[in-house]
Amino acid sequence: MVIVEIRAAGSDASPRYERLDATILNVGRAPDNNLIIEDPYVDAHHLRLDVGLTGDWRVTDLQSTNGTSRGRQAIHQAHLAPGDQLQLGKTLIRVFDEHYQVAPALSLADLEHRLLDFSGWRPMLALVAVLVAYVTLRIYLAGDGADAKADAYLVGIITALLWPLGIAGVWALLSRLLRGEARFRPILNLGLLAVVLSTGLQLLNSLAGYNLPGAHSELPELLIIVGVLSVYLYLMLLLSTQLQGKWRAGLTLVVAGGLLLSFGINQYSVQDRFSALPRYDHTLYAPSLLFRAGVPAAAYQQGLDRLFETADDLAETQN
């Protein structure tokens, strides 16, 4: 007895199976065949399978119009092993004996399926709402609240949402090419979660760096970005590719290591001993969110002229 799996080439539809007792199987579109294939690109009598003893199977193409191939190799007569796949027309068939060992059942509780379950509209809308609220608050606190116009909020929100959408589209396209399905919604939700999580942690780090005396926020901020990006990259490789776990982990470690190495090189190259002038990061930190006493943002901005004059006086004094 043999079992034949039949499915359309390039289709995601479930295959059909036929159990046949004959030792010589004629395959084609004609109704007198042992195995009837409903494919206009298959001949009426396309090929013959001799399935006697296991390991001594043979396939013979009956001079069909479109031929028979195994993989990319066209065949006319060849030995056939259980599990080999043949293409005739636009149909794929695989022949098994009754003792063929199938792969173990896939788990519905593994990490990949848990991520696929993260595709609902509710978490998506919740993450979008958090991201919109953050962008709105950031733009409002950048001035005194009255300076920002409606178009500034609109551009900020659209820009914040376009990045996750664009990146999710690229990963979904890769998933479509490599796995046969786009998986866009779980990929988009994970991207939004990565943005919200990274933004929230960076905000907490900035608050700690400003409000806690002596706190240094540059390295923790880098570790936050690298950590979130590494986890995100690993999960995207899991959803969008068929790489094995060790390759996913290796590629993720290479990217994370590259980011940390580039940061270390940059930090070393800007040390004061390599420059005639003291290091300055060209950034002004306005006190927008404070846990301790501070001046309002508008008053802070008004005092910048006096601050720069003082800095110029100190520079002239040192020269």
Side-chain angles (χ1 to χ4, degrees):
M1 176 180 292
V2 294
I3 298 95
V4 183
E5 175 192 87
I6 309 157
R7 63 185 178 91
S11 173
D12 295 331
S14 299
R16 67 182 178 95
Y17 294 88
E18 300 284 348
R19 296 170 62 90
L20 303 169
D21 290 325
T23 57
I24 297 178
L25 303 178
N26 293 307
V27 182
R29 284 189 296 114
D32 60 344
N33 287 289
N34 303 90
L35 184 63
I36 301 172
I37 304 295
E38 298 178 2
D39 183 345
Y41 298 93
V42 172
D43 282 29
H45 299 91
H46 196 102
L47 61 82
R48 183 179 69 247
L49 293 171
D50 298 302
V51 287
L53 297 175
T54 301
D56 192 25
W57 295 358
R58 297 186 66 84
V59 55
T60 303
D61 183 82
L62 302 177
Q63 297 182 347
S64 61
T65 302
N66 295 308
T68 302
S69 61
R70 177 170 54 190
R72 296 185 177 181
Q73 179 183 8
I75 57 175
H76 300 285
Q77 189 175 53
H79 288 283
L80 189 67
D84 280 356
Q85 180 172 271
L86 301 174
Q87 179 166 354
L88 45 159
K90 292 189 175 181
T91 301
L92 301 174
I93 65 171
R94 297 175 70 194
V95 185
F96 309 93
D97 64 12
E98 57 186 351
H99 303 295
Y100 184 79
Q101 297 294 321
V102 299
L106 298 175
S107 173
L108 292 174
D110 60 6
L111 178 59
E112 180 179 352
H113 285 85
R114 291 180 182 273
L115 294 175
L116 291 175
D117 289 338
F118 189 55
S119 60
W121 288 103
R122 289 185 177 180
M124 181 186 299
L125 294 176
L127 291 169
V128 169
V130 171
L131 192 57
V132 169
Y134 169 76
V135 172
T136 303
L137 181 63
R138 185 186 63 187
I139 295 176
Y140 178 83
L141 293 175
D144 60 1
D147 296 336
K149 298 181 180 179
D151 58 347
Y153 291 101
L154 184 60
V155 171
I157 292 172
I158 292 177
T159 303
L161 294 178
L162 279 180
W163 277 103
L165 280 170
I167 295 174
V170 174
W171 284 112
L173 177 61
L174 183 64
S175 176
R176 180 66 180 177
L177 294 174
L178 299 181
R179 311 209 56 157
E181 54 181 337
R183 300 181 169 185
F184 178 75
R185 282 170 55 182
I187 289 176
L188 176 59
N189 283 354
L190 287 171
L192 290 170
L193 179 61
V195 172
V196 170
L197 184 61
S198 176
T199 301
L201 292 176
Q202 289 182 68
L203 179 60
L204 292 177
N205 179 63
S206 298
L207 290 173
Y210 189 85
N211 291 279
L212 299 179
H216 185 66
S217 62
E218 198 170 78
L219 180 59
E221 182 173 355
L222 173 72
L223 295 178
I224 290 171
I225 295 174
V226 172
V228 174
L229 179 61
S230 299
V231 174
Y232 174 75
L233 176 60
Y234 182 87
L235 297 181
M236 291 302 100
L237 292 174
L238 174 62
L239 287 179
S240 302
T241 71
Q242 295 182 335
L243 292 174
Q244 296 181 354
K246 61 180 181 181
W247 291 105
R248 292 195 302 268
L251 184 57
T252 302
L253 289 175
V254 167
V255 173
L259 291 175
L260 292 174
L261 180 61
S262 63
F263 174 78
I265 294 175
N266 178 70
Q267 290 295 104
Y268 181 79
S269 63
V270 297
Q271 291 183 7
D272 290 345
R273 58 176 170 168
F274 299 123
S275 175
L277 299 175
R279 182 186 174 194
Y280 176 57
D281 61 4
H282 306 287
T283 304
L284 292 175
Y285 297 97
S288 54
L289 296 174
L290 302 177
F291 291 139
R292 61 180 174 80
V295 297
Y300 178 84
Q301 293 173 355
Q302 292 175 0
L304 289 179
D305 291 339
R306 180 170 49 83
L307 179 63
F308 286 129
E309 291 176 0
T310 303
D312 291 339
D313 293 340
L314 290 174
E316 292 178 357
T317 302
Q318 292 180 358
N319 291 333

